[in-house]
Amino acid sequence: MPVDLEAASVGLLTLQWSADDGSGAGVNAIDVYVSDNGGPPVLFQDNTLLTAATFTGLAGHTYSFYSVASDSVGNVEAAPPGFDAVTTI
């Protein structure tokens, strides 16, 4: 059933992240993923060079986040074994 965000209790989170390419090639892009209540991670920010974004979540939900960076020569960081940040609204 679709959720009416205007009628639901929502929370706005300002997420911040960073990436550093130790090899000197330079960070090309970052993908940021989110999991809602332990579900599968889905792409929140795709191929971005931004370092922050606002996420809208629902009250009573737990959100988990991680990022994956790529560099300018095509190296892609492996997804982490766990999440970088977890919060409940």
Side-chain angles (χ1 to χ4, degrees):
M1 174 166 76
V3 175
D4 179 1
L5 289 179
E6 291 181 333
S9 294
V10 298
L12 299 177
L13 302 173
T14 300
L15 303 176
Q16 296 180 335
W17 57 86
S18 63
D20 181 10
D21 177 33
S23 70
V27 174
N28 183 56
I30 303 168
D31 294 335
V32 180
Y33 293 85
V34 60
S35 168
D36 182 359
N37 284 335
V42 295
L43 198 56
F44 167 60
Q45 293 287 303
D46 182 24
N47 202 33
T48 187
L49 284 175
L50 297 174
T51 58
T54 300
F55 177 81
T56 303
L58 298 174
H61 286 237
T62 297
Y63 297 98
S64 305
F65 300 90
Y66 72 86
S67 63
V68 174
S70 60
D71 68 17
S72 61
V73 295
N75 297 310
V76 179
E77 176 184 26
F83 292 97
D84 295 325
V86 178
T87 191
T88 299
I89 295 176

